[in-house]
Amino acid sequence: MATWKLIKLKFERCPAHFGELGIGMESTTERVHSDTLFSAWMSSFARLYPNEIDALFNRFHDDALPAIRISSTFIYRETDKGTIYYLPRPLKFPVNYPQDNDLEFFKTYKKLNYLPLKVWQRWYQGEGFTSADRQELIARTNGAKGGNLDAEGTFDYKQAFKIEKVPKIAVDRNTRATNLYHTAFVYFEWNQNGNSIQSLSGLYFLLHFHQDDVELATRLEDALKLLGEEGLGGERSSGAGRFKVEWNDIPSDWQSVVEHPDTLTSHYLISLFWEDDVSQLLKYFLKTFKIIRLKKNRCLLQELIHNFAL
């Protein structure tokens, strides 16, 4: 029997650095993609259970029935009305979306890169886009607040975190010359009551087991807790990326999102997807970049494949 879990990563007041592709440390995203999470998680699993990691990887060879599936991480935010789970807004317009693309509300609509779960379900699985939504978006464009979308936290995504740059000094090992640079960190919303720290926001992801496997679930949870102690992302040597794990059964309001009825007409992807295998990717590099010394430097090849897959 298939099993779904919803797992929260609570960073409390610990900053994190989830670097962007490119040179430098001055940018960070607010969340982690599925490939980064899986790699870090499996590394912790291998350290905790070195004799079992090969057997676990062998269970992924069956593409139709892998041992587990995970989503990328997304923002959650605790409010006095409950927990808001944000999901990426699909490129496809919602059900009953107006065809005229009226700029009065489209300017605000296109900025909604992430939607609360309830709004996502209503727009894409329920009654769809309504005239009240249109009027509220128009009012929002003109500076007014209030309405159903506002009450559901549709416009509050960026209140769950903040990104700040921290100055740092690099010292040359030979000349002892110093160089000033900045590193960006993401801080998730939290508050403190006495000695108790409460995470008001953080990251969550979905975990799917093809069949109920209590032993594997226990080992994966232990490995994730170990990862939380070591840190996720960059700047771990500075104490960044540490989190606490909250392992939950998937809430009932998620059932319509993860279930696949026979009448399903489209799918929604919430993890990274790469359709080509490694042999095809290798041919791409050999043809495009004309790398001559790959056989002498397999580490370089593995690094290139990893970076390209991102």
Side-chain angles (χ1 to χ4, degrees):
M1 179 180 179
T3 304
W4 285 92
K5 299 290 183 180
L6 187 147
I7 301 170
K8 291 181 179 178
L9 309 181
K10 298 187 171 185
F11 292 84
E12 296 183 342
R13 59 182 179 183
C14 183
H17 176 80
F18 308 130
E20 291 277 88
L21 291 178
I23 300 174
M25 303 285 290
E26 296 187 359
S27 62
T28 181
T29 61
E30 72 275 12
R31 61 187 189 89
V32 175
H33 294 291
S34 55
D35 61 340
T36 301
L37 174 62
F38 182 81
S39 299
W41 197 357
M42 290 301 103
S43 295
S44 295
F45 190 98
R47 294 183 62 184
L48 203 57
Y49 304 103
N51 298 326
E52 300 181 23
I53 186 65
D54 289 339
L56 176 59
F57 282 163
N58 289 334
R59 296 179 61 179
F60 288 95
H61 289 173
D62 187 349
D63 294 335
L65 303 173
I68 61 171
R69 289 191 177 103
I70 65 172
S71 72
S72 295
T73 62
F74 303 102
I75 294 289
Y76 77 85
R77 185 167 185 252
E78 304 284 358
T79 68
D80 54 354
K81 298 180 181 179
T83 304
I84 302 175
Y85 297 102
Y86 287 95
L87 283 170
R89 175 176 60 83
L91 294 178
K92 181 179 179 181
F93 288 125
V95 178
N96 299 326
Y97 184 85
Q99 299 298 319
D100 54 4
N101 285 337
D102 191 338
L103 291 180
E104 282 189 295
F105 70 89
F106 187 73
K107 289 181 180 179
T108 302
Y109 171 85
K110 69 179 181 180
K111 296 178 182 178
L112 300 177
N113 296 322
Y114 295 89
L115 300 173
L117 176 63
K118 293 182 179 180
V119 176
W120 188 95
Q121 288 176 312
R122 178 167 65 84
W123 278 7
Y124 294 95
Q125 293 183 318
E127 62 178 320
F129 195 85
T130 65
S131 58
D133 294 333
R134 177 174 183 157
Q135 294 303 319
E136 183 176 349
L137 290 176
I138 293 175
R140 190 82 184 186
T141 303
N142 296 326
K145 297 183 179 180
N148 292 331
L149 295 178
D150 194 8
E152 296 293 348
T154 307
F155 309 104
D156 299 337
Y157 177 78
K158 291 187 177 180
Q159 294 184 19
F161 63 91
K162 61 180 179 180
I163 295 177
E164 296 182 352
K165 293 182 180 180
V166 177
K168 291 195 172 186
I169 297 291
V171 181
D172 188 275
R173 294 182 179 180
N174 297 321
T175 65
R176 312 304 294 174
T178 59
N179 181 40
L180 175 67
Y181 69 98
H182 291 80
T183 300
F185 290 95
V186 55
Y187 296 82
F188 296 98
E189 189 179 14
W190 60 279
N191 66 6
Q192 186 168 357
N193 185 8
N195 295 326
S196 176
I197 299 174
Q198 180 184 8
S199 288
L200 299 179
S201 66
L203 300 178
Y204 77 93
F205 67 94
L206 301 183
L207 170 63
H208 176 258
F209 294 91
H210 170 63
Q211 57 185 3
D212 193 12
D213 191 332
V214 177
E215 185 176 1
L216 176 59
T218 300
R219 282 168 167 70
L220 287 173
E221 184 175 1
D222 291 341
L224 191 60
K225 289 180 179 178
L226 175 61
L227 178 60
E229 294 176 359
E230 295 181 336
L232 177 63
E235 296 295 297
R236 294 189 299 276
S237 61
S238 301
R242 301 179 66 182
F243 59 85
K244 294 181 179 179
V245 178
E246 185 177 306
W247 191 279
N248 303 309
D249 292 330
I250 195 166
S252 58
D253 53 355
W254 277 90
Q255 292 301 321
S256 63
V257 178
V258 300
E259 290 178 351
H260 302 287
D262 296 335
T263 57
L264 192 68
T265 58
S266 59
H267 295 267
Y268 178 63
L269 190 64
I270 55 175
S271 63
L272 296 185
F273 176 75
W274 181 255
E275 61 180 351
D276 289 336
D277 59 26
V278 175
S279 62
Q280 292 175 314
L281 187 58
L282 176 57
K283 291 179 181 179
Y284 173 83
F285 280 114
L286 291 175
K287 180 180 179 180
T288 306
F289 297 103
K290 300 184 183 301
I291 301 174
I292 300 174
R293 299 179 58 187
L294 286 179
K295 292 183 180 180
K296 297 181 180 180
N297 193 343
R298 294 187 178 183
C299 292
L300 172 62
L301 172 60
Q302 293 174 358
E303 181 181 358
L304 286 171
I305 290 178
H306 173 71
N307 290 338
F308 188 78
L310 294 178

